[in-house]
Amino acid sequence: MASIIDPWGSSLPEDYEKIVREFGLETFDARLFPEPNKLMRRGVVFAGRDLKRIADCIKEKKPFYALTGIMPSNDRIHLGTKMIIENLRYFQEHGAQTYILVADLEAAAARGVALEEARQRALDFFIPAYIALGLDPKKTLFYFQSENMDVIRIGFQASKKITANEFRAIYGTNDPGRIVSAVTQIGDILYPQLGERQPGIIPVGIDQDPHIRLTRDFVNRTRRLRFFPPSSLYVRYTPSLDGGLKMSKSKPEGCIMLPEDVKTAVKRIKRAKTGGRDTVEEHRRLGAIIEQDMVFELLKQHLIDDDAELQRIHDEYKAGRMLSGELKEIACERMRAFLELFDKRLAAARVLVKKGGLNFVRYKKAAGLEESKR
Ligand code: TRP
């Protein structure tokens, strides 16, 4: 039986290569893009769809957009979100018109969060947090799903082109709340093309790929190809500090959230699973098993931007000249600096948002949405 990824569930893909094969993704090749960011250079970005289309837009300076969504169902964000923003920022800095939407309708339908609460959380925390992580608010358009009639209308149109069997084959369920959430997300993904038909890239977690597939199927069925099928970009998970596949709130000991109290983060890093050997003597002789080291992974994914510096640490540690305790010291120090900076920037971004310093898309009348019968 074909595997199913459930975007609302918590099951995990064990094997990234298998996912690439089964779902027909492209393996990511950093040489495709100019000035790739650290996640691209280091293989943390591992796959995507239709990437050349976007690389060409960048190289030829043609218009394209980058869009992602906030689901305001928790009260803190995950380090995985930090990576999504880093990728979004890459496209923003390379010419993309950037959109961030607040999935308040989805939070209500799939998670039971009241609309008003979802919106308040987005304004109080999520949007400021995204800005604190480097998103340029001046170059970003924001909207609430519940306020964007164009999104809803594209969703309705998509619903006419998708069968219940097809939906079940992709998502493994036919729950009506999931169906409306998914078609609404199709509306989000394509909405920027209503103004001008243009390619777009959706940087997300791999759990969102079902929505990308569904959107692409819908686009391929619309007459006269009114939309470009969306491109997408996926990152690996940040592993749990105990060595599990993914940091998750259900196992807080292995998890660092944002914001996080520095003491808690340091304590958790100190207890993390490393690739160090049982004794110092053995470690000096054999060197660390870097592939099994969660602290090194944290440095690589989140805490060290400079490749040469990361390489130096890698080499020292692998050769056994650096001990796990020393690696942890570096990670704790970097984490402290990062968390403190995040707090400071979050406070500043909150002030900005309160002052109304964001570009919000308010409802515009949908133009030319009806399909021609010809
Ligand atoms: N479903 C996404 C989530 O769970 C949120 C979302 C809604 C989204 N619309 C989107 C993400 C469009 C990317 C593109 O977080």
Side-chain angles (χ1 to χ4, degrees), residues 67-71 101 103 106 145 185 188-189 202 204 208 211:
L67 172 144
T68 196
I70 296 175
M71 168 99 117
L101 64 103
E106 182 182 2
Q145 276 181 333
Q185 187 150 341
D188 290 327
I189 291 170
I202 317 297
V204 273
Q208 298 294 303
H211 300 307

Side-chain angles (χ1 to χ4, degrees), residues 142-169:
F142 296 88
Y143 70 83
F144 293 108
Q145 276 181 333
S146 63
E147 281 187 358
N148 192 323
M149 269 314 281
D150 290 338
V151 164
I152 311 292
R153 293 178 64 183
I154 300 170
F156 265 78
Q157 209 174 45
S159 72
K160 293 188 289 191
K161 302 271 182 188
I162 295 158
T163 67
N165 281 340
E166 182 183 13
F167 195 89
R168 196 171 329 100

